[in-house]
Amino acid sequence: MEYEREAVALRACNPLLVPGLLQTEAYARAVMETALHGTEEMEKRLALRLERQRAVFDRDDSPLTTFVIGEVALRVGDPKMLREQLEHLLRLSGRPRVIIHVVPATAGLWLGQSGPFVIASFDESPDVAFLEDHLQGRVVTDPRAVAALQRSWEIVRAVALPRDLSRDLILKLVNES
């Protein structure tokens, strides 16, 4: 969280889920219900996720945030919850400092499918990355590892649809639901 609060730019890739910073409360709850956490732990994690969103998007100097999401993430879930989530993505993508790219299902296999990651950039310190896993994830500060993830990011972005075509796809999915 401290990295997100200080970042001037965040780049996130998630092939199978809407990234946590973009999730509605209902979507986040549905995702968390699939984990093996008890109710109390799930509620703590949900509150933390919503706090993270406010810390990033509600500050005066919000970072430039760029997300790459696999199309499959936009098609899975309870239809009512999913429609709400897709509409939320459309609203967020209308903000000038929020860029959402979708990797279409027709892209086949792509590098980002190996797992979610986030790269945080700062004005006066080196970039830091975060790799998610089934437990809690890990912060990556080794410059070579961060550089490798930055190269991966460039490949992932190249596979994704441009911003406007991504918005069009999300709108199409809303209209289909």
Side-chain angles (χ1 to χ4, degrees):
M1 267 183 71
E2 73 258 18
Y3 292 119
E4 288 175 339
R5 285 187 193 152
E6 301 299 323
V8 296
L10 294 167
R11 293 167 280 172
C13 172
N14 200 320
L16 301 175
L17 296 171
V18 172
L21 287 175
L22 300 177
Q23 292 176 359
T24 62
E25 182 174 347
Y27 185 96
R29 183 177 300 281
V31 168
M32 290 181 190
E33 285 175 349
T34 66
L36 300 175
H37 305 298
T39 303
E40 187 176 320
E41 178 66 20
M42 186 184 77
E43 291 301 325
K44 278 190 219 176
R45 288 175 182 250
L46 180 60
L48 180 62
R49 180 153 304 167
L50 298 175
E51 180 184 334
R52 285 178 48 222
Q53 291 174 0
R54 287 187 296 274
V56 169
F57 295 119
D58 293 350
R59 69 187 211 212
D60 289 336
D61 60 341
S62 64
L64 174 63
T65 54
T66 308
F67 302 90
V68 173
I69 309 168
E71 181 181 346
V72 67
L74 307 179
R75 294 184 175 275
V76 178
D78 170 75
K80 182 181 178 211
M81 180 233 16
L82 193 56
R83 181 181 179 92
E84 176 187 303
Q85 178 62 62
L86 293 169
E87 289 171 343
H88 181 66
L89 291 176
L90 285 173
R91 283 190 301 277
L92 286 173
S93 70
R95 293 181 177 192
R97 299 184 66 74
V98 178
I99 300 167
I100 298 174
H101 296 284
V102 177
V103 176
T106 56
L109 294 174
W110 52 286
L111 178 64
Q113 290 172 315
S114 59
F117 65 93
V118 178
I119 301 169
S121 298
F122 309 91
D123 273 336
E124 302 202 15
S125 57
D127 288 1
V128 172
F130 181 76
L131 298 173
E132 292 187 44
D133 63 28
H134 286 271
L135 299 175
Q136 63 186 13
R138 64 185 169 105
V139 174
V140 178
T141 57
D142 174 62
R144 288 177 302 225
V146 173
L149 285 169
Q150 289 168 331
R151 289 189 298 275
S152 295
W153 172 259
E154 293 304 322
I155 294 168
V156 164
R157 277 260 321 259
V159 174
L161 294 172
R163 182 183 198 175
D164 290 343
L165 291 179
S166 293
R167 280 183 55 86
D168 290 348
L169 177 57
I170 295 168
L171 182 59
K172 176 183 170 214
L173 295 173
V174 166
N175 292 332
E176 287 177 2
S177 62

